[in-house]
Amino acid sequence: SQTIHQWPATLVQPVGSPLSLECTVEGTSNPNLYWYRQAAGRGLQLLFYSVGIGQISSEVPQNLSASRPQDRQFILSSKKLLLSDSGFYLCAWSRGEKLFFGSGTQLSVL
Amino acid sequence: KNEVEQSPQNLTAQEGEFITINCSYSVGISALHWLQQHPGGGIVSLFMLSSGKKKHGRLIATINIQEKHSSLHITASHPRDSAVYICAVSLAEGSNYKLTFGKGTLLTVNP
C-alpha cells in the first residue's frame, strides 16, 4: 500500500537553531513531492516541490531549504530558525490523480 | 484577492442534515480538489475533479468550469463528518499538483 511518513509530529525549537524535517514515501516510485506550511488562520502555502531526485523548486523566498537525496525522501531544513517559521508543516506526494498528505509537524519556534 | 474563495467559513449542522460547501475560483484551472482535515492536522484527499460530478458514499462533489464554481455536498451528515474542508485548485498554466488552497470551511455536526 502507499503511505507517507512524516516526523516528528511536534517540535519546539529556539530561535537561531537548525531544523530538519523528514518525509518518506512508500509504495510508489518517482512521485512528485511537496512541502506545505499552514500558518494559524491561513490556508496551506506551497513551499517547495520536487519532480525528481535533486530537483527542487521553491515557491516562496524564505529562511528554509529543501532537498531530495533519494527518490522517496524529502527533507525540509533551516540553518537558523526565525520566530516566523512557526507553523504546521505538511509533506505530500502525488502521482497521476493520487494525492496523499503526511500527518504534519507542528513547529513552534520560541 | 485570494484566487480560491470558500463559503461559508464556519458551518454548524444537526446530525442528518444535508450540507453544502461552496468554492469559487478566479483563474483557469486544470483540476480542483476537495480535501478533509481533521483535528490534529492530517489531510485526506476526497475528490479530484476536472468536470462534472463525483460521488463517494455520502459525499458528492460537483464542478461548473464555465462558472468557476464547485460544491461539496454531504448527505445525512454525521458528527464524524466534523472537520475542515478545503478546496484547492491546480492552475491551468502550472504543473499538475502546484495547488492553490482556499482557507477552508470548518464544519461541526452536532448529534
Side-chain angles (χ1 to χ4, degrees):
Chain A
S1 65
Q2 294 140 342
T3 56
I4 178 169
H5 301 282
Q6 183 181 343
W7 67 93
T10 59
L11 190 59
V12 180
Q13 291 285 100
V15 169
S17 63
L19 172 74
S20 180
L21 301 181
E22 188 163 344
C23 175
T24 59
V25 177
E26 294 179 1
T28 188
S29 59
N30 198 30
N32 292 333
L33 294 172
Y34 309 85
W35 277 110
Y36 291 95
R37 177 168 60 200
Q38 187 175 37
R42 303 183 66 180
L44 284 156
Q45 179 186 41
L46 178 64
L47 301 176
F48 301 95
Y49 71 95
S50 171
V51 298
I53 296 174
Q55 299 179 59
I56 308 294
S57 295
S58 174
E59 288 296 298
V60 182
Q62 57 207 321
N63 185 41
L64 302 167
S65 62
S67 62
R68 184 172 179 174
Q70 299 180 48
D71 181 45
R72 290 172 289 179
Q73 184 184 27
F74 206 23
I75 298 171
L76 183 69
S77 304
S78 173
K79 292 182 179 177
K80 288 185 178 181
L81 283 168
L82 305 172
L83 286 174
S84 57
D85 291 324
S86 293
F88 187 64
Y89 290 82
L90 278 157
C91 178
W93 74 267
S94 71
R95 191 168 185 204
E97 287 199 14
K98 296 179 180 178
L99 174 62
F100 292 92
F101 288 84
S103 52
T105 297
Q106 184 63 53
L107 172 65
S108 299
V109 182
L110 305 177
Chain B
K1 184 180 183 298
N2 200 25
E3 289 171 322
V4 181
E5 297 282 353
Q6 284 186 238
S7 63
Q9 273 189 297
N10 294 281
L11 181 56
T12 301
Q14 288 300 121
E15 184 173 356
E17 286 185 3
F18 181 82
I19 303 292
T20 296
I21 299 171
N22 296 298
C23 176
S24 297
Y25 51 92
S26 57
V27 296
I29 68 169
S30 59
L32 181 143
H33 299 258
W34 281 104
L35 311 170
Q36 181 190 55
Q37 185 173 28
H38 277 284
I43 294 180
V44 174
S45 176
L46 299 175
F47 296 102
M48 174 181 160
L49 294 163
S50 53
S51 65
K53 176 179 173 179
K54 286 190 176 179
K55 184 175 189 293
H56 182 67
R58 295 180 294 105
L59 301 177
I60 303 167
T62 63
I63 188 168
N64 185 317
I65 297 294
Q66 287 73 30
E67 294 186 4
K68 295 185 169 60
H69 181 269
S70 175
S71 293
L72 176 69
H73 306 285
I74 305 175
T75 61
S77 59
H78 191 276
R80 65 173 174 266
D81 296 325
S82 299
V84 175
Y85 292 84
I86 302 170
C87 171
V89 301
S90 309
L91 301 182
E93 72 277 11
S95 69
N96 212 15
Y97 278 95
K98 285 176 61 177
L99 299 175
T100 300
F101 295 83
K103 293 185 178 179
T105 295
L106 174 60
L107 172 65
T108 304
V109 181
N110 295 316

